[in-house]
Amino acid sequence: MASSTQLLGRSFLPGATASAGGRDRGGGGAALAGSLAVGRRSRRRSLRSTAPVAALAERVVVTPAPAERLGAAAPEPHTQSVAARAVVTVRRRRKEDAKQRVVEQLDAYADRLGRSVLLELVSTETDPRKGAPKRSKPSALVGWFDKKDVKAEKVVYTAEFTVDASFGEPGAVTVLNRHTREFFVESIVVEGFPTGPAHFTCHSWVQPTHVARNPRVFFTNKPFLPAETPPGLRELRRQELGDLRGDGEGERASTDRVYDYDVYNDLGHPDKGAEFARPVLGGERMPYPRRMRTGRPKTVTGKPSLSLFYERAESRVEYPEPTYVSRDEEFEEGKNEMLSEGAIKALLHNFMPLLVSSVSPDISDFAGFHDVDNLFKEGLRLKQALQDQLFQKIPFVRKIQENSEGLLRYDTPDIIKKDKFAWLRDDEFARQTLAGINPVNIERLQAFPPTSKLDPAVYGPPESAITEDHIIGQLDGMSVQDALEHNRLYMLDFHDMFMPFLDRINAQDGRKAYGTRTLFFLTTAGTLKPIAIELCLPPMTEGCKRAKRVFTPPADATSNWLWQLAKAHVCSNDAGVHQLVNHWLRTHACMEPFIISAHRQMSAMHPILKLLKPHMRYTLKINALARQILINGDGVIESGFTPGRYCMEMSSFAYRELWRIDQEGLPADLIRRGMAVEDPTQPHGLRLLIEDYPYASDGLLLLWSAISRWCEAYVSVYYASDESVRNDTELQSWYAEAVQTGHADKRDAPWWPRLSTPADLASLLTTLLWLTSAQHAALNFGQYPLGGYIPNRPPLMRRLVPAEGDPEHAHLVADPHRFFLSALPSLTQTTTFMTVIDTLSTHSADEEYLGERADEAWTADPDALAAAREFADEVRQAEEEIGRRNADTARRNRCGAGVLPYELMAPSSGPGITCRGVPNSVTI
Ligand SMILES: [Fe+2]
C-alpha cells in the first residue's frame, strides 16, 4: 500500500485536504451532484504521478496545434494541442503451445502490415457541437512486431495521441483488437495531459474483432457515483453495463463477458442413467441461491412427460472441459498450475488405492491404525507379492510407483504432528468445536432438556432423551439449573438437520448416520468437556428399536470404544454440516448472486464495485468447478460424506430453514447461538460467554472489527447522507437484484436488511467482506490439517454403534481397533477424500490476502487509499496479536501440550497448505 501513496501523490490545492468524515456530496438531484462532481474533479487536477511509468513523461511535449485543426467557428479557439502517450502493459502467457506461438507470430506480422491494435481516448467532457464525448483519433499501439520475441511476462507498448488542448481530461480508453487472438491488458496509463497521468482500470482480456466487434472500454480509476459520472462517460457507462448483462439468451461462449443467473439444474446427469439424475436446486420445492448462467442445451432425458422433476436439467460439461464463466473470471496461470499439480496428485492418489483394492479386496479396509499412518510414512505402496505379480502383468505400474514415490505419500496432517493421540481425547474433541474447522455450530444450551423443532407427529416426541441423571455427575457439583443459569452448558445439535433425511441416508449401501446431540460442560479452566452424546434415529427406522440412545463418558474398555464410535458419528454429522452448509452454502453459494449482480449493475467506476472487486476474485470459477466435480451427482462430496446422494438436498434444506443474511455477520451469529450477549461496556458491544473461543475472539475483536471500520470509513468517503445511498441507482439495483433474482426463493423474507443509509451500506458490506475473507478462511484452510487424519474427523460412517446383543457388538469386543476402522471410510474413500481436501486447503502462489491489493492503482481517490492503509495496518496488528494469543498459556484452547495454535484467522500465509492465511475472496 505504501507505493500507492507514491503513486497518487498529494493534493496541493488549498482546502483540498482529505476530510476524515463524509464529504458533502449531496443527494438533491443530478444538477447538484454534477456540480459537486466538478468540484471533486477539479480538486484532483493537481494529482501528480511519481510511478515508474512517469519516466516516459519527459518525452511527452505540449505542442502548438496545427492550424487546420482549429475550427473557424469554434467559440474559443485554442492555440495549443496536447501530445499524449498511452502506456499499455500487456501480460503474456507464461506457457504456450506451438500452435499458440505460431498464431502470436502471425499476429505480430499482421500488426506490422497494418492490422494493429487501435486505441482511442475518450474525454470526460462532451463536445457541445456534437453532443457526444470528445474523442481522440484512433492511434495504433506501437511495438507489437518489435517485441514479438521478448520473453518477459509483461510487455509494454505505447500509442501516441495529439488532441486539442480543450480535450479535457481522458476518462476512458477504447481498445480495438484487430489481431487474431485475445490479449490480457494489465494496465493503461495515459500521460501528457496537464491533469497528470491518468490510470485506467483494466486487468482484463480484450477479444479480437472477429469475436467482439466493438472496441473494449476501460474507464479511469477515478471513482464516480452514477449521478456524478462526467458527461463524456455517461453513455459509455450505460452501454458497458448493458454488455455485461447480456440478453439472457443462447449458450455462452468462453470468450463472453456476460453475467446472468440460473438455477442449479446441472448437478445431475440424467442422460447417463436414472441414478445420475438429481433434483434441480432453486425454486419453490428446493430453494437455493442462483448460480452463473451458461445457457448450455437441455438434457435429452428428463422431459416434462417423463418427469417434471428434471424438466429444467441442463446438459453437463465434464471436467477438464471448462464450464462457462465470464472471461475475466477464469483462473490466471499461477492458480491453474496449482490446480493441475493437485489434479496429477489426485490421479495418482486415486489410481493406486483402486489398484490395491482391485487386486486385493481384503485390504479395502484399514486393518489397523498403522495402515492409516502408512499413508503418511510410505504412501500407498503395494505389498511385495502383489508388486511382483502386478509388475509382470502391467509393467507401467512399476514406472508409476518408481517415478512418483514422493507424490504417493500424503503430507502428515497437523493434527497428528505434535500429538498423535490427541484426537482420541475428549478435551480435544471439545476443543475443536471452538478452534477446529467448524467452530460455528457450538451453541449455548438455554433450556434443559434440548428439544427438536420438527413435527412430533412425524419424528416423535421433541424432547431429548438426555436426562439430568445422565449429566449431573459431570457438572462440578452444580445442578443442571445452576449450570444453565451460569452459562456452563453448551451443545452441538445436528438432530433437526439430519433427522428428515436419515431413512434415505441409511438405506444407501455402506452409509450410516444418526441425528446427534452432544452436551458440553464449560470447566473453570475455560475449556469444554463432553458430558453426553445422544444418537437418534427416526422412530420408524426399520430394524432399529432404539430410536434415541444416550452415551456418557466411559467407565470401562467397552464403553470407551462405544463412546469413541458415538464421537465419530458426531464428527461425521459435523463434517457434513460444515461442508454442505457452513462452507459451501453459506460462503461459496450464497455469495455468488451478490457477485453476479455486482458486475451486472455497478460500473467499474462505481466506488462500491471497486471495494468489492478483490473480494469477488475467482469465486465464480471455483463455484463452477465445484458444480463439475465436487457437488455434482456422484461427485466427490456425495462419495465422501455420509448423506451420499442427499448431500445437496440437505444443503437446500439448510438454505430454506436457516439461512438469513441478517444473521450471517459474526456478531449476529454469535448472539443467535447464545455464544455472546450484548454488553455495552465491551469494545464491540458484545461479551463472549466462553472467553477463550479462538474463532470468535480472533474473528470479532480483530478481523470483524477491522473490516467493519474499513467499510464504514470507505462508505463515508462517498455517502454523506441517507439520500445519497437511496439515490444511487446502481447501488440500489445491485442489492435489489441480488435479493430479488439471485436469492429469488428468499426474496419475500421479512428480514432482508434495508439499504437506506450509509450505516446500512457499511453493515451489508462488512458482512459480505467477512464472509468472503475471514469466515471462508476459517472454514476452508484447516480441512486437510485437521481433517486429513480421518479418525479425527470421519466425513463418512459405514456402521451404526452396536448395542449389547447385536452380532456386531461381539465383533467390537473381539477387535475394537478393526471394528472402529471398519465403521470409518474405506481405504479408497479415505484417499479420495484426503486428496480433495489437500487441494482445497492449498493457497496458490497468486493468492491475495486481507489488507493487500495487487492492483495498486485500483482507485485514484486519496481518501479511499488512506482508509485502505489504515485497514492494512489494522490487519497487520491483528496478525501480531494472534501470535501473542497463541503463546498465552492461559488460553488453553489454543496453547498447551501438543495443542495446535489457532491461526486460521492469521491474515498472511505462504503458498501451500499452511493452516493459516485469510485470502480476500473465496478462491478455493
Ligand atoms: Fe472453499
Side-chain angles (χ1 to χ4, degrees):
M1 286 294 171
S3 50
S4 307
T5 328
Q6 294 171 345
L7 192 66
L8 290 156
R10 293 279 176 207
S11 175
F12 299 112
L13 281 185
T17 315
S19 63
R23 294 171 184 164
D24 181 15
R25 317 192 106 233
L32 176 57
S35 70
L36 286 167
V38 169
R40 192 173 158 80
R41 284 198 299 279
S42 64
R43 205 163 49 214
R44 299 254 170 77
R45 285 217 168 94
S46 62
L47 294 175
R48 290 290 182 272
S49 170
T50 56
V53 286
L56 290 162
E58 65 200 32
R59 286 181 280 152
V60 175
V61 288
V62 177
T63 56
E68 65 270 20
R69 291 227 189 127
L70 303 176
E76 287 179 24
H78 294 274
T79 54
Q80 288 191 322
S81 62
V82 174
R85 169 177 295 178
V87 180
V88 180
T89 305
V90 170
R91 192 161 73 208
R92 287 195 177 157
R93 291 180 177 89
R94 286 205 296 258
K95 287 180 186 161
E96 293 199 300
D97 58 29
K99 189 179 158 198
Q100 286 170 326
R101 276 197 297 275
V102 169
V103 178
E104 189 187 3
Q105 292 292 317
L106 288 176
D107 266 344
Y109 280 95
D111 189 282
R112 193 182 203 186
L113 296 173
R115 281 197 68 79
S116 49
V117 176
L118 294 182
L119 266 64
E120 222 177 280
L121 304 182
V122 183
S123 170
T124 53
E125 299 171 13
T126 48
D127 183 337
R129 289 167 302 182
K130 296 178 186 162
K134 294 177 185 171
R135 287 173 176 267
S136 71
K137 286 187 175 167
S139 174
L141 211 53
V142 176
W144 209 283
F145 180 79
D146 298 336
K147 296 180 182 176
K148 66 182 174 14
D149 297 320
V150 171
K151 295 286 179 242
E153 193 183 342
K154 292 179 187 178
V155 184
V156 175
Y157 306 98
T158 55
E160 309 284 342
F161 300 90
T162 304
V163 294
D164 194 280
S166 65
F167 182 81
E169 192 179 349
V173 178
T174 69
V175 181
L176 189 69
N177 174 9
R178 298 191 297 174
H179 290 174
T180 311
R181 47 177 227 165
E182 62 178 9
F183 57 83
F184 187 85
V185 182
E186 189 148 297
S187 67
I188 300 177
V189 182
V190 174
E191 298 191 315
F193 282 88
T195 44
H199 293 256
F200 294 83
T201 308
C202 306
H203 284 273
S204 182
W205 291 94
V206 178
Q207 297 304 322
T209 43
H210 66 85
V211 173
R213 282 224 322 255
N214 294 329
R216 184 64 202 283
V217 180
F218 294 114
F219 291 107
T220 168
N221 66 346
K222 294 183 180 180
F224 292 106
L225 293 177
E228 296 179 350
T229 313
L233 304 180
R234 282 180 197 154
E235 182 57 19
L236 280 180
R237 184 172 186 150
R238 197 190 60 75
Q239 273 174 13
E240 173 75 355
L241 282 172
D243 288 349
L244 290 168
R245 285 196 283 268
D247 59 6
E249 299 292 325
E251 185 175 359
R252 297 269 65 89
S254 60
T255 49
D256 287 354
R257 299 169 59 222
V258 171
Y259 293 81
D260 207 347
Y261 305 90
D262 209 340
V263 291
Y264 280 71
N265 57 2
D266 61 347
L267 299 181
H269 200 333
D271 287 350
K272 204 168 145 189
E275 70 273 30
F276 296 100
R278 292 293 180 273
V280 171
L281 302 186
E284 210 173 305
R285 189 178 171 279
M286 288 204 188
Y288 219 59
R290 298 299 183 260
R291 51 97 173 173
M292 186 85 157
R293 178 185 178 277
T294 72
R296 288 194 306 267
K298 297 284 188 276
T299 49
V300 176
T301 47
K303 290 174 196 154
S305 57
L306 291 174
S307 163
L308 193 62
F309 206 37
Y310 302 116
E311 69 175 312
R312 289 182 293 166
E314 184 174 277
S315 59
R316 285 183 57 75
V317 180
E318 298 303 339
Y319 184 81
E321 282 301 306
T323 189
Y324 172 78
V325 286
S326 176
R327 181 67 186 97
D328 289 337
E329 302 291 338
E330 287 287 345
F331 290 149
E332 292 174 26
E333 274 182 305
K335 181 83 171 176
N336 270 328
E337 280 164 15
M338 184 278 273
L339 287 175
S340 51
E341 275 166 29
I344 293 169
K345 234 169 155 181
L347 214 68
L348 287 166
H349 282 183
N350 290 340
F351 175 71
M352 292 307 278
L354 278 174
L355 204 64
V356 170
S357 56
S358 68
V359 294
S360 179
D362 58 315
I363 53 169
S364 62
D365 280 351
F366 294 104
F369 285 97
H370 56 275
D371 278 352
V372 185
D373 295 344
N374 277 346
L375 294 174
F376 314 114
K377 276 190 210 146
E378 298 177 10
L380 281 164
R381 296 186 66 83
L382 301 170
K383 287 180 183 160
Q384 197 59 48
L386 286 172
Q387 263 187 28
D388 296 343
Q389 199 186 336
L390 258 174
F391 289 173
Q392 277 175 1
K393 284 187 194 160
I394 327 173
F396 83 92
V397 172
R398 181 190 291 274
K399 270 211 167 84
I400 291 177
Q401 186 143 327
E402 282 167 1
N403 293 344
S404 46
E405 201 164 320
L407 285 173
L408 284 170
R409 225 182 355 251
Y410 292 81
D411 293 331
T412 304
D414 292 22
I415 186 68
I416 54 167
K417 273 184 189 162
K418 285 172 115 182
D419 182 352
K420 193 174 164 188
F421 303 110
W423 68 276
L424 276 164
R425 294 199 318 265
D426 285 359
D427 60 282
E428 177 61 22
F429 167 75
R431 192 190 71 83
Q432 290 186 28
T433 66
L434 301 170
I437 54 172
N438 189 36
V440 298
N441 278 104
I442 187 81
E443 60 183 294
R444 181 163 53 95
L445 190 65
Q446 302 190 41
F448 186 86
T451 51
S452 162
K453 293 187 181 70
L454 297 173
D455 182 359
V458 180
Y459 299 100
E463 293 81 18
S464 159
I466 301 173
T467 63
E468 196 157 332
D469 285 348
H470 285 122
I471 61 170
I472 192 74
Q474 304 281 330
L475 307 181
D476 286 3
M478 297 174 97
S479 70
V480 171
Q481 198 52 38
D482 275 354
L484 281 175
E485 282 168 14
H486 290 88
N487 304 320
R488 302 286 289 275
L489 288 173
Y490 292 82
M491 174 169 67
L492 266 188
D493 186 358
F494 298 115
H495 179 278
D496 288 5
M497 183 73 215
F498 273 81
M499 197 57 91
F501 295 91
L502 283 180
D503 281 336
R504 285 180 288 162
I505 291 172
N506 290 339
Q508 298 174 104
D509 270 352
R511 285 163 195 271
K512 291 289 175 275
Y514 297 95
T516 70
R517 283 193 190 102
T518 309
L519 295 194
F520 299 88
F521 180 67
L522 178 65
T523 70
T524 48
T527 57
L528 291 177
K529 66 171 181 179
I531 53 175
I533 295 174
E534 181 180 20
L535 303 181
C536 305
L537 291 169
M540 302 306 286
T541 294
E542 214 171 309
C544 185
K545 301 176 207 92
R546 297 168 297 275
K548 294 179 182 179
R549 295 168 70 192
V550 178
F551 296 80
T552 52
D556 61 17
T558 306
S559 64
N560 180 63
W561 280 106
L562 291 170
W563 175 250
Q564 291 298 349
L565 279 167
K567 285 199 294 183
H569 272 281
V570 173
C571 288
S572 172
N573 271 191
D574 189 78
V577 170
H578 164 261
Q579 197 64 274
L580 305 171
V581 181
N582 300 328
H583 176 212
W584 167 257
L585 171 70
R586 293 172 66 187
T587 64
H588 285 254
C590 283
M591 270 310 295
E592 185 153 343
F594 287 98
I595 297 173
I596 297 173
S597 180
H599 288 290
R600 287 167 54 89
Q601 300 296 343
M602 286 193 286
S603 161
M605 286 185 282
H606 199 290
I608 300 304
L609 191 89
K610 286 182 179 293
L611 174 80
L612 287 174
K613 195 93 195 281
H615 301 285
M616 306 192 288
R617 181 173 185 238
Y618 286 163
T619 306
L620 297 180
K621 177 66 181 177
I622 199 68
N623 286 2
L625 272 175
R627 298 203 311 277
Q628 281 191 297
I629 55 177
L630 296 180
I631 61 169
N632 56 311
D634 209 31
V636 171
I637 298 292
E638 283 193 4
S639 71
F641 289 85
T642 316
R645 64 179 292 153
Y646 305 105
C647 278
M648 293 310 289
E649 287 188 43
M650 287 182 73
S651 188
S652 163
F653 176 76
Y655 180 65
R656 183 172 64 201
E657 298 294 322
L658 304 171
W659 188 82
R660 40 186 295 178
I661 188 101
D662 63 327
Q663 296 192 342
E664 289 298 280
L666 181 59
D669 178 53
L670 290 171
I671 287 177
R672 166 165 68 172
R673 292 187 284 121
M675 299 302 288
V677 289
E678 287 180 19
D679 181 347
T681 67
Q682 298 294 307
H684 306 285
L686 284 191
R687 183 164 53 87
L688 292 175
L689 294 177
I690 298 179
E691 217 175 303
D692 181 21
Y693 178 4
Y695 158 81
S697 58
D698 291 1
L700 185 67
L701 303 176
L702 301 177
L703 298 192
W704 173 273
S705 59
I707 293 169
S708 158
R709 269 193 288 275
W710 156 232
C711 290
E712 280 165 20
Y714 189 84
V715 165
S716 75
V717 174
Y718 301 98
Y719 301 92
S721 64
D722 295 356
E723 288 71 29
S724 60
V725 171
R726 285 200 282 265
N727 294 340
D728 183 337
T729 49
E730 288 183 6
L731 182 79
Q732 293 296 335
S733 300
W734 163 59
Y735 185 53
E737 187 176 281
V739 174
Q740 299 290 326
T741 310
H743 284 280
D745 305 328
K746 291 271 194 181
R747 67 179 167 204
D748 296 325
W751 40 254
W752 284 102
R754 283 152 35 111
L755 188 57
S756 303
T757 67
D760 292 344
L761 176 57
S763 165
L764 175 66
L765 293 170
T766 303
T767 298
L768 297 180
L769 266 57
W770 162 258
L771 291 173
T772 63
S773 61
Q775 178 79 346
H776 176 260
L779 297 170
N780 190 77
F781 292 101
Q783 292 191 78
Y784 189 83
L786 281 97
Y789 186 67
I790 295 298
N792 177 54
R793 194 176 163 73
L796 183 152
M797 294 295 286
R798 293 187 290 159
R799 291 182 194 279
L800 294 172
V801 182
E804 225 168 315
D806 293 347
E808 290 206 331
H809 194 266
H811 295 153
L812 170 74
V813 172
D815 191 344
H817 284 202
R818 194 169 192 126
F819 186 89
F820 182 81
L821 289 170
S822 75
L824 269 50
S826 69
L827 174 67
T828 46
Q829 286 168 330
T830 296
T831 52
T832 306
F833 180 75
M834 284 167 63
T835 306
V836 172
I837 58 172
D838 177 295
T839 302
L840 293 183
S841 307
T842 302
H843 291 292
S844 62
D846 69 346
E847 200 95 273
E848 290 170 16
Y849 297 94
L850 199 64
E852 295 177 358
R853 192 144 180 173
D855 174 16
E856 289 178 337
W858 64 278
T859 180
D861 191 329
D863 293 353
L865 287 168
R869 280 193 295 277
E870 273 175 36
F871 174 56
D873 282 348
E874 249 189 279
V875 169
R876 263 193 297 276
Q877 286 163 23
E879 178 141 336
E880 288 162 17
E881 173 61 18
I882 288 170
R884 282 191 288 274
R885 289 178 180 184
N886 283 328
D888 178 357
T889 52
R891 298 174 188 262
R892 299 182 195 196
N893 291 318
R894 62 199 302 167
C895 183
V899 172
L900 286 182
Y902 188 73
E903 295 184 310
L904 287 167
M905 296 257 183
S908 75
S909 171
I913 301 176
T914 60
C915 204
R916 59 175 291 143
V918 180
N920 280 321
S921 62
V922 176
T923 59
I924 188 85

